[in-house]
């Protein structure tokens, strides 16, 4: 009908057609038909741009509205870069309108800034998103000063959005401050209308707890996430279908935080509840919820290991591994890193905790195969993981008495860790020192004492540097490497050098034993025994 009227009198009826198309686009968006909405809104915008050319003062607000709605719908169709362009145009118009009439048009500017911040973050422009989200918060603070009843919810939403963006920018301490203000607002809104605003409070507490944890304050995170769990239990009682996934998420995060503060037995109980929920969700929708179930099983396995329940940990980690294999079949690009991590941790649990070194070797060999593929994809990101898996494989080969095989693997680990040290000396030097020491141990057990000496000498050089950085942490490593070097020098017939090195090992271990006799006295005794033997050998060779 509008089309016919426009054909008969464009001047009179074009505004009505523009309004109808705009409203249709809004309705389509609200019905979640965002792709259809974008088609209609593009047409509405063309008409409203023509009208603005005719009468800017009258029609500019309508054009800004249509651009904002189009930007929203583009974002909902994951076309974030396009959404950014459209929202920036809407904001330009709304800034002009605010200059004309701040009282009337400031809420619209705040709305567009809020949405632009969201789309910028989703488009990967996190730095730009922070600046825009901060401006949205500033606008909405002004609106709250004007009318708290009306605009407080909007300010809470913008604070939540800013907190999320700051978290994505790894500015977790700043995110905590922002979420704390958002939580305060959410509590006020819940006092006003519990039914409506309780979900928002649960979400804000959940995100606050997450960012407190990411800022390294896991003890504080526990209390906040426990409150989120309490709220989400209430919501799940109200509507299980809607809120059960959120309860599962909060339980998972609470368990993680408990694990980080060494409350592993408590973490196990919480993970078990999260897993029960996630199994139920997987029954409803395997495609969506299987990754979450895999994550919770993986973390439960780690905490079972830390709680000394090694056999149970192996069973759980094997189930997590099975799930992640299924996910890799679904999407290799996305899930292969998680599969590699699961294999490494299962290998660790089998080897270090359950002492099933032969089984651990098989798992680590698979993990290394995955790590090599990931390194081909992104060397910068995944080389560290490959080095760690090779090192752990070497340790398990040693424990399985396969010393020659361990030597080959540890030599590759050392090559990788030398590259990492070139990249970041401060961070990776301890790993290189450990690898050199362990290679020395395996060369020694393979009867290659002269080669072992070379490795221990380099490990000791690294230990001396690390002791300058942190004596308390690295002095035991120096004592161990000195002790082993002295032993290998003895076996290589270099008695005078062996005596000098073992005397230093005794000095180091005596210092350690004075601080902690229970831990270090037996090691001091071993070094003293070795020194006595070497002194006799030295005297005998001199005579």
């Amino acid at each position: 009908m509008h089309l016919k009227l426009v054909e008969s009198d464009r001047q009179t009826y074009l505004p009505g057609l523009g309004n109808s198309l705009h409203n249709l686009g809004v309705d389509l968006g609200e019905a979640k038909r965002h792709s259809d909405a974008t088609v209609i809104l593009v047409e509405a915008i063309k008409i409203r741009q023509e009208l603005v050319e005719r009468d800017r003062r009258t029609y500019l607000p309508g054009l800004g509205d249509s651009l904002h709605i189009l930007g929203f719908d583009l974002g909902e169709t994951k076309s974030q870069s396009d959404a950014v362009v459209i929202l920036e145009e809407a904001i330009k118009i709304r800034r002009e309108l605010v200059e004309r009439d701040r009282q009337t048009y400031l809420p619209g500017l705040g709305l567009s800034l809020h949405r632009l911040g969201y789309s910028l973050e989703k488009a990967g422009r996190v730095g730009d998103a922070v600046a825009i989200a901060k401006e949205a918060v500033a606008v909405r603070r002004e609106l709250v000063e004007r009318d708290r009843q009306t605009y407080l919810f909007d300010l809470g939403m913008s604070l939540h959005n800013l907190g999320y963006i700051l978290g994505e920018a790894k500015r977790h301490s700043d995110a905590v401050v922002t979420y704390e203000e958002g939580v305060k607002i959410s509590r006020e809104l819940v006092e006003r209308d519990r039914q409506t605003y309780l979900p928002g409070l649960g979400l804000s507490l959940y995100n606050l707890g997450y960012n407190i944890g990411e800022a390294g304050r896991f003890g504080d995170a526990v209390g906040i996430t426990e409150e989120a769990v309490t709220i989400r239990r209430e919501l799940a009682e109200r509507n299980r279908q809607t809120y059960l996934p959120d309860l599962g998420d909060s339980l998972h995060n609470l368990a993680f935080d408990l694990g980080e503060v060494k409350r592993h037995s408590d973490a196990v109980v919480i993970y078990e509840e999260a897993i029960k929920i996630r199994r139920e969700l997987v029954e409803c929708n395997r495609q969506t919820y299987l990754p979450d179930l895999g994550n919770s099983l993986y973390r439960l396995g780690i905490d079972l290991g830390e709680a000394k329940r090694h056999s149970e940990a192996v069973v759980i980690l094997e189930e997590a591994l099975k799930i992640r294999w299924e996910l890799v079949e679904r999407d290799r690009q996305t899930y292969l890193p998680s599969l590699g991590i699961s294999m490494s941790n299962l290998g660790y649990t089998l080897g270090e905790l359950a002492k099933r070194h032969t089984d651990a070797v098989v798992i680590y060999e698979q993990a290394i195969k995955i790590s090599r593929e990931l390194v081909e994809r992104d060397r910068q990101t995944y080389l560290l993981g490959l080095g760690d898996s090779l090192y752990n494989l070497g340790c398990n080969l040693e424990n399985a008495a396969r010393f020659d095989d361990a030597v080959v693997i540890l030599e590759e680990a050392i090559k990788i860790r030398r590259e990492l040290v070139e990249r970041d000396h401060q961070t990776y030097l301890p790993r290189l020192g450990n690898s050199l020491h362990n290679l020395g141990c395996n060369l020694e057990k393979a009867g290659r004492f002269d080669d072992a000496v070379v490795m221990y000498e380099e490990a000791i050089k690294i230990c001396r540097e690390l002791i300058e950085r942190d004596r308390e942490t690295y002095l035991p490593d120096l004592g161990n490497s000195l002790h082993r070097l002295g032993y290998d020098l003895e076996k290589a017939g270099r008695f005078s050098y062996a005596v000098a090195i073992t005397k230093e090992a005794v000095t180091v271990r005596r210092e350690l034993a004075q601080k902690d006799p229970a831990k270090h006295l037996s090691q001091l005794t071993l070094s003293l025994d070795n020194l006595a033997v070497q002194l006799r050998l030295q005297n005998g060779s001199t005579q």
Side-chain angles (χ1 to χ4, degrees), residues 279-329:
R279 289 193 196 283
E280 179 180 337
L281 293 168
V282 166
E283 289 298 314
C284 298
N285 187 335
R286 190 173 187 85
Q287 183 77 15
T288 299
Y289 295 112
L290 192 63
D292 293 336
L293 176 57
N295 291 342
S296 290
L297 287 164
Y298 167 75
R299 294 301 317 179
L300 172 59
I302 290 173
D303 279 289
L304 283 166
E306 293 295 331
K308 313 300 183 188
R309 295 165 61 180
H310 307 312
S311 298
E312 294 170 81
V314 168
V315 173
I316 292 297
L317 287 169
E318 286 175 335
E319 184 180 358
L321 192 63
K322 184 178 179 181
I323 287 172
R324 287 178 165 177
W325 270 117
E326 180 178 337
L327 293 169
V328 165
E329 291 297 315

Side-chain angles (χ1 to χ4, degrees), residues 94-108:
R94 287 180 163 179
R95 290 192 196 283
E96 180 179 334
L97 292 169
V98 166
E99 290 296 315
R100 183 192 302 174
D101 182 347
R102 190 171 190 86
Q103 184 77 15
T104 301
Y105 295 112
L106 193 62

